[in-house]
Amino acid sequence: MQSFRQAFKDQTMLYVFVGVLFLVGVLFGALMVNALSLEQQQEMARYLNHFFVNVQDGGESMSQSSYWSIAALHLKWIGLIWILGLSVIGLPGILILDFLKGVLIGFTVGYLVGQYSWKGLLFALVSIAPQNLLIIPVLMMCSVAAITFSLYIIRDRFIMNRGGSMMKPFASYAMLTFFMVMLTLGVASFETWVTPAMMRWVTPMLL
């Protein structure tokens, strides 16, 4: 626990940088809503109305297949970040993924609020916010760990040219990612079985 706190303290600036990058993505995504053409807005409105009807009719009911599809979606982000962290050239890719995650959330929330006002905000709070309050910190921790490991490779292999063993930093990197994967599986359970029930509570206001 002490080593974890020390590592977090040492990586504070990285966490701030990744957090700011994510928030910029959220802002950019929200602003993208204003760039939609009238035809695109109408198409999205039709899709959302169909989605709301489907939720209201129980189409988003809990199932094991839904759980694994939701879990797989989150794990793909974590897996891609982990793989990019293993190489020097993957460093920009990690930052792009963090930015894109922010864009996706910002656009979704921005559109819901712009289209449905406070009702859209309420729907976003029950359908998007709960799981993302855990998923976003998980992705940030994975990203910082990946950036730290990538920077370690650059410093140790290319700048200082030490050529020492990388087993210990790699093991720490892999262990943290494993814990984040386990946490993500728990979040996927909430998103599969709890979130649809909350959405069914709000959707009548949007129809």
Side-chain angles (χ1 to χ4, degrees), residues 144-158:
V144 169
I147 293 169
T148 301
F149 187 73
S150 186
L151 291 175
Y152 174 82
I153 296 174
I154 296 172
R155 184 181 68 250
D156 202 64
R157 297 292 181 178
F158 297 101

Side-chain angles (χ1 to χ4, degrees), residues 10 33 37 41 49 58 62 94 106-107 125 127 133 164 170 188:
D10 294 340
V33 176
S37 66
Q41 291 180 22
N49 285 333
M62 60 185 182
I94 300 168
F107 179 83
L125 287 174
S127 64
L133 287 175
F170 176 77

Side-chain angles (χ1 to χ4, degrees), residues 17-151:
F17 178 73
V18 171
V20 169
L21 185 64
F22 171 76
L23 290 176
V24 170
V26 171
L27 180 61
F28 184 79
L31 293 175
M32 281 178 61
V33 176
N34 298 322
L36 291 174
S37 66
L38 180 60
E39 183 180 347
Q40 289 172 324
Q41 291 180 22
Q42 290 174 341
E43 182 64 29
M44 287 194 67
R46 283 194 294 269
Y47 170 80
L48 279 176
N49 285 333
H50 175 73
F51 175 76
F52 293 147
V53 170
N54 190 39
V55 171
Q56 183 64 19
D57 292 341
E60 295 295 312
S61 58
M62 60 185 182
S63 68
Q64 192 167 352
S65 60
S66 298
Y67 169 77
W68 286 114
S69 62
I70 291 171
L73 181 63
H74 294 314
L75 293 177
K76 284 176 184 176
W77 281 87
I78 294 176
L80 192 52
I81 290 172
W82 189 77
I83 292 171
L84 290 172
L86 296 175
S87 64
V88 175
I89 59 174
L91 189 56
I94 300 168
L95 303 178
I96 291 172
L97 285 176
D98 292 328
F99 178 77
L100 285 178
K101 188 67 175 177
V103 170
L104 290 172
I105 294 175
F107 179 83
T108 305
V109 175
Y111 182 81
L112 286 170
V113 173
Q115 191 75 16
Y116 300 100
S117 186
W118 68 269
K119 297 176 183 178
L121 178 60
L122 180 60
F123 185 80
L125 287 174
V126 301
S127 64
I128 299 171
Q131 56 268 19
N132 278 296
L133 287 175
L134 286 174
I135 286 296
I136 297 308
V138 163
L139 292 179
M140 287 182 63
M141 291 185 70
C142 289
S143 297
V144 169
I147 293 169
T148 301
F149 187 73
S150 186
L151 291 175

Side-chain angles (χ1 to χ4, degrees), residues 74 131-132 134-135 182-192:
H74 294 314
Q131 56 268 19
N132 278 296
L134 286 174
I135 286 296
M182 293 297 103
L183 181 57
T184 300
L185 293 176
V187 175
S189 299
F190 178 90
E191 194 171 350
T192 303

